[in-house]
Amino acid sequence: MDILLIPGLWLDASAWDDVVPAIEALGHRPVPVSLPLHASATLDDQVAAVLAAVDAASGRPMVVGHSAAATLAWLAADARPERVAKVAFVGGFPAADGRAYADFFEVRDGVMPFPGWEPFEGPDSADLGEQARHDFAAAAIPAPAGVVQGVVRLTDERRFDVPVLVVCPEFTPAEAQEWIAAGDVPELAKAKHLDLVDLDSGHWPMFTRPTELARLLTP
C-alpha cells in the first residue's frame, strides 16, 4: 500500500526521513508529501498538493497527517472518499468545517514563525533532547498565513465512511475518547470506523520513535 505522509506545521517532507525506511521494511511504499511552503502559499495550494499525491498513488492509499496536517488528511478523505483507503492522524485532529486551519500562534509579516519551545514544554517535547530542539528550531519553516488562516471547507458526508486511525503520542487514547465524547472533535464523533492507538512519545514521534510509528501506521 502507498502511505502518504503529510508533515505538520514548520516541517517539510524531510520530517519523515527516519520513518520512510521503517515503512519500506514492512512492505509498504511511503510517499512523503511536499507541501507548498512559500510565504504566499494558501490552504488550497496545500490541499491540491495532497490530492495530487492521492491521485498519483498506486491503488487506494492511506493518508497520514501529523498534528495540524490531520486536517489536510481529512480534506483528502472529503475530496476523494472513494480513493482514500484510510486516514491516520498523528498527534492531531481535523478541524471542523468553517474553522481556520491552524491559526494557533501570532502571524507576523505574512507568516506564522515557530514560536519557540515554551508553548510545547511538558509532554509535547519531553522526549526531545537539547540538540534535537536546536535542530528543529533552526530548520523550522515559517507557516504561510494563507495556510494557517485558511478556512476549512468539508462537503462530502462520505468522508465519515473512510476508516480513521488516531495515533496518540503526548495524550492517551482515553483522553482522546473523552475529547470526542465532549464534542471537542466533531468530525471524529461522526466517523464510522475509528481506532485509537497509544504511542509513548512526545508530539513529534517521527523524530523520536520512527520505527514504532511506522509499525502503527502499516496495515
Side-chain angles (χ1 to χ4, degrees):
M1 171 183 280
D2 283 6
I3 300 178
L4 312 185
L5 303 166
I6 312 171
L9 295 178
W10 311 298
L11 300 171
D12 62 15
S14 69
W16 301 101
D17 282 356
D18 292 339
V19 179
V20 163
I23 289 177
E24 289 174 338
L26 292 167
H28 298 276
R29 178 174 176 259
V31 183
V33 177
S34 294
L35 300 173
L37 297 171
H38 53 85
S40 61
T42 66
L43 180 58
D44 286 345
D45 293 334
Q46 292 201 350
V47 172
V50 174
L51 293 182
V54 171
D55 293 340
S58 175
R60 299 174 65 224
M62 173 192 284
V63 183
V64 180
H66 170 251
S67 192
T71 298
L72 283 175
W74 196 232
L75 283 164
D78 182 71
R80 301 285 193 276
E82 73 290 344
R83 281 281 294 145
V84 173
K86 189 174 188 177
V87 295
F89 308 138
V90 180
F93 302 98
D97 180 64
R99 300 294 297 272
Y101 172 70
D103 196 9
F104 302 142
F105 300 101
E106 180 184 1
V107 170
R108 302 195 303 268
D109 299 324
V111 295
M112 178 192 291
F114 177 63
W117 290 107
E118 184 175 354
F120 303 107
E121 288 299 334
D124 282 351
S125 61
D127 60 343
L128 288 173
E130 183 177 346
Q131 187 62 50
R133 291 185 184 212
H134 175 272
D135 293 346
F136 184 108
I141 302 165
V147 173
V148 298
Q149 296 176 337
V151 177
V152 174
R153 296 299 182 194
L154 298 163
T155 61
D156 196 327
E157 295 283 306
R158 290 180 297 165
R159 67 185 179 277
F160 298 120
D161 294 323
V162 178
V164 176
L165 172 70
V166 179
V167 177
C168 305
E170 76 274 19
F171 53 87
T172 67
E175 288 173 322
Q177 287 280 24
E178 289 177 7
W179 299 331
I180 294 168
D184 297 334
V185 193
E187 287 297 305
L188 293 193
K190 298 179 182 179
K192 297 178 181 177
H193 313 282
L194 176 63
D195 290 315
L196 299 99
V197 295
D198 195 26
L199 177 58
D200 184 15
S201 77
H203 188 64
W204 292 274
M206 65 276 290
F207 300 132
T208 60
R209 300 287 188 275
T211 301
E212 295 88 338
L213 177 59
R215 289 197 190 104
L216 293 176
L217 294 177
T218 49

